[in-house]
Amino acid sequence: MGSEVSYEEASAFADGVLGAAGHQVSDPELREISRRSFEGEISSEEAVALMLARVQAMSADPS
C-alpha cells in the first residue's frame, strides 16, 4: 500500500521545484484547475486544455 499525498503536499513540492528554477504559478484559476485534476474531478487532458486556454486568454488581455 502506497502512502497518500495530499494536494497541499503535492502543490508545495511543485512550488519548490518551480521556485528553484525561478518560476511560480501565481494565478488562482490555474491553481484551481490543478487541484481539480489532482482530486480527479477532471482528467489531465481536460486540465491541460483549460490551463492552455487560461494562459492564452491572459496573454491576450494582460490586465
Side-chain angles (χ1 to χ4, degrees):
M1 175 187 262
S3 64
E4 294 291 321
V5 175
S6 71
Y7 172 73
E8 289 76 17
E9 291 170 317
S11 182
F13 178 79
D15 285 345
V17 171
L18 287 169
H23 304 287
Q24 67 176 356
V25 177
S26 58
D27 182 66
E29 190 169 327
L30 292 175
R31 288 193 174 273
E32 177 61 12
I33 295 167
S34 174
R35 184 203 61 77
R36 291 177 58 206
S37 177
F38 183 87
E39 299 291 342
E41 296 175 16
I42 60 174
S43 70
S44 57
E45 291 83 6
E46 289 172 300
V48 168
L50 289 169
M51 288 179 172
L52 184 56
R54 173 67 177 158
V55 168
Q56 289 173 337
M58 289 175 7
S59 296
D61 181 25
S63 57

